C-alpha cells in the first residue's frame, strides 16, 4: 500500500472531483477519474489479481455510475456541538459531513437536511460510540428504482424518541415519496448498524422493487444489490449461462432475487437461507 504525498504532474485522466470532501470521506475512491478510464484501470487490477487464470473478459460498465445507491446508512455524530450526518472518514469512525454525495440519490441529502433540523429542535442526544451514552446512531434510506418510493430508517439506542409525530408530518409533507419511517432499536455496543427490535412509526417496512418482469417485496433489512441497472445486467448474464434441464442452488439466497429470476428457465431452484424473514 502507498499513500500519495504530492502530485507533481497530474495524469491526463485525473480530474477535479465534484465533491468538496473527496479524499477525506471514505465513501468512494474513484471520483477524480472519469468512468470510462475507471473501467480500464479496474480491468488492469482484475487482470493482475486473476492473471494466472487467463484473460479477464471486459468489464461491463454501469449505466448509473453516480447517484446509484438504492440503500445507504449514514452515521450520526457531532462537530463543534452541532449534529452532523455523513460518512466515516477512511480507516476511522470520524464522521465527515457532505453537501451532495455523488454515490447516492440527491434526495437522501435533502432528507438529511430536514432531519438535522429536527435533531436540533427536539434536542435529540447523539450516541457516543466510546462512552455508550446518547440515543441517535444512524439514519438509513432504501429507495425503489421501480417507483422512486423511499423508506427512512432511524436507528436509536433506546425506544424513546421525542416528537416523532411532528417529524413524520415534516418528512412526509416535504417528501411524498416516503412510504415508511421505521425506528430500529440497537442497544448493543459494536459496529452492527441494525438491532433486532423495531417500531413502524409510519407506513410500511417494505418496498416493491422490479427487475425485468419480476417484482420483489423487500423489507428494509433485506439484502439487495445496490445498483439497480447493473443488477439486471448481472442477472441476465447468469441466466444466459444455464439451461432448462439444470437444478440451480441459490446459496445464501436472501429474499431469493437471483433464484426467482432464473426460475422460468431452470428445471428447479433450491434456495438456502438462514434468515427466516427473508425466506418469508
Amino acid at each position: 500500500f502507498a499513500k500519495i504525498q504530492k502530485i507533481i504532474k497530474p495524469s491526463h485522466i485525473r480530474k477535479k472531483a465534484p465533491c468538496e470532501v473527496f479524499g477525506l470521506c471514505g465513501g468512494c475512491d474513484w471520483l477524480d477519474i472519469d468512468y470510462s478510464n475507471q473501467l480500464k484501470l479496474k480491468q488492469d487490477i482484475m487482470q493482475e489479481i486473476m492473471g494466472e487464470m487467463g484473460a479477464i473478459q471486459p468489464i461491463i460498465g454501469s449505466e448509473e455510475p453516480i447517484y446509484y445507491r438504492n440503500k445507504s446508512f449514514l452515521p450520526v455524530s457531532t462537530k463543534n456541538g452541532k449534529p452532523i450526518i455523513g460518512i466515516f472518514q477512511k480507516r476511522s469512525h470520524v464522521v465527515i459531513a457532505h453537501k451532495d454525495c455523488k454515490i447516492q440519490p440527491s434526495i437522501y441529502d435533502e432528507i438529511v437536511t430536514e432531519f438535522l433540523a429536527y435533531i436540533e429542535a427536539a434536542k435529540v442526544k447523539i450516541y457516543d460510540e466510546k462512552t455508550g451514552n446518547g440515543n441517535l446512531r444512524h439514519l438509513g434510506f432504501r429507495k425503489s428504482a421501480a417507483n422512486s418510493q423511499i423508506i427512512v430508517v432511524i436507528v436509536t439506542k433506546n425506544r424513546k424518541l421525542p416528537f416523532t409525530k411532528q417529524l413524520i408530518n415534516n418528512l412526509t409533507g416535504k417528501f411524498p415519496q416516503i412510504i415508511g419511517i421505521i425506528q430500529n432499536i440497537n442497544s448493543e455496543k459494536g459496529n452492527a448498524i441494525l438491532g433486532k427490535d423495531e417500531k413502524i412509526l409510519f407506513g410500511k417496512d417494505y418496498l416493491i422493487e422490479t427487475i425485468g418482469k419480476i417484482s420483489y417485496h423487500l423489507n428494509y433489512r433485506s439484502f439487495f444489490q445496490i445498483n439497480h441497472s447493473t443488477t439486471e445486467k448481472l442477472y441476465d448474464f447468469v441466466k444466459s449461462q444455464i439451461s432448462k434441464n439444470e437444478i440451480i442452488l441459490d446459496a445464501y439466497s436472501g429474499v431469493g432475487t437471483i433464484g426467482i429470476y432464473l426460475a422460468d428457465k431452470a428445471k428447479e431452484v433450491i434456495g438456502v437461507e438462514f434468515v427466516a424473514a427473508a425466506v418469508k
Side-chain angles (χ1 to χ4, degrees):
F1 290 92
K3 184 177 181 180
I4 294 173
Q5 299 296 331
K6 181 182 179 182
I7 296 174
I8 299 170
K9 182 181 179 182
S11 163
H12 68 281
I13 67 172
R14 186 186 292 275
K15 65 177 184 178
K16 180 176 172 55
C19 176
E20 77 282 3
V21 293
F22 177 75
L24 184 62
C25 166
C28 61
D29 291 307
W30 297 79
L31 206 56
D32 55 348
I33 302 170
D34 69 82
Y35 190 57
S36 61
N37 281 307
Q38 283 187 34
L39 294 181
K40 293 176 184 177
L41 293 171
K42 291 173 182 178
Q43 183 81 26
D44 290 343
I45 291 171
M46 288 302 300
Q47 188 63 60
E48 183 179 336
I49 293 170
M50 309 295 287
E52 293 183 2
M53 297 178 67
I56 302 299
Q57 295 185 45
I59 293 173
I60 299 171
S62 171
E63 295 173 7
E64 299 176 292
I66 59 173
Y67 298 127
Y68 60 85
R69 289 188 66 94
N70 56 36
K71 184 175 76 170
S72 291
F73 276 89
L74 306 176
V76 185
S77 187
T78 58
K79 184 177 181 180
N80 300 324
K82 294 276 190 178
I84 59 170
I85 298 174
I87 298 173
F88 286 132
Q89 184 176 348
K90 291 182 181 181
R91 299 177 181 86
S92 82
H93 271 208
V94 176
V95 176
I96 304 298
H98 56 262
K99 294 178 182 177
D100 178 29
C101 180
K102 295 300 187 292
I103 61 173
Q104 63 184 22
S106 295
I107 193 170
Y108 291 2
D109 288 321
E110 295 173 23
I111 297 172
V112 164
T113 299
E114 186 66 27
F115 193 78
L116 284 169
Y118 154 75
I119 294 174
E120 294 205 64
K123 294 182 171 56
V124 181
K125 293 183 178 180
I126 309 302
Y127 179 75
D128 186 314
E129 280 188 323
K130 295 179 180 178
T131 65
N133 297 327
N135 191 27
L136 187 59
R137 302 181 68 146
H138 282 81
L139 183 65
F141 305 94
R142 185 150 213 169
K143 182 174 180 289
S144 167
N147 53 31
S148 297
Q149 293 180 335
I150 294 172
I151 288 178
V152 176
V153 184
I154 306 165
V155 184
T156 61
K157 176 185 174 183
N158 307 314
R159 289 183 65 85
K160 289 186 178 181
L161 191 63
F163 302 108
T164 53
K165 289 184 179 180
Q166 184 64 43
L167 173 64
I168 291 165
N169 290 337
N170 289 348
L171 290 182
T172 57
K174 293 188 177 182
F175 306 101
Q177 304 95 322
I178 295 176
I179 63 163
I181 301 175
I182 313 299
Q183 181 188 353
N184 178 275
I185 297 94
N186 181 7
S187 59
E188 301 293 327
K189 287 187 175 182
N191 293 331
I193 294 175
L194 296 176
K196 296 179 180 179
D197 195 11
E198 65 185 36
K199 291 196 292 184
I200 300 178
L201 302 179
F202 166 79
K204 304 174 181 178
D205 63 352
Y206 68 90
L207 295 169
I208 302 297
E209 187 59 280
T210 301
I211 300 179
K213 298 179 181 179
I214 308 294
S215 292
Y216 299 94
H217 175 136
L218 290 179
N219 182 273
Y220 77 94
R221 296 173 178 267
S222 301
F223 172 80
F224 198 71
Q225 298 290 337
I226 291 295
N227 186 316
H228 184 271
S229 66
T230 304
T231 301
E232 193 157 346
K233 290 183 179 181
L234 184 68
Y235 290 7
D236 282 340
F237 176 79
V238 175
K239 199 168 193 174
S240 71
Q241 304 301 302
I242 66 171
S243 62
K244 290 187 176 181
N245 63 350
E246 288 183 313
I247 297 174
I248 303 301
L249 176 64
D250 188 357
Y252 308 95
S253 60
V255 297
T257 51
I258 299 176
I260 292 169
Y261 196 77
L262 304 177
D264 63 339
K265 187 175 180 181
K267 177 182 178 181
E268 183 181 359
V269 175
I270 301 169
V272 180
E273 174 55 49
F274 177 76
V275 181
V279 178
K280 184 178 178 181

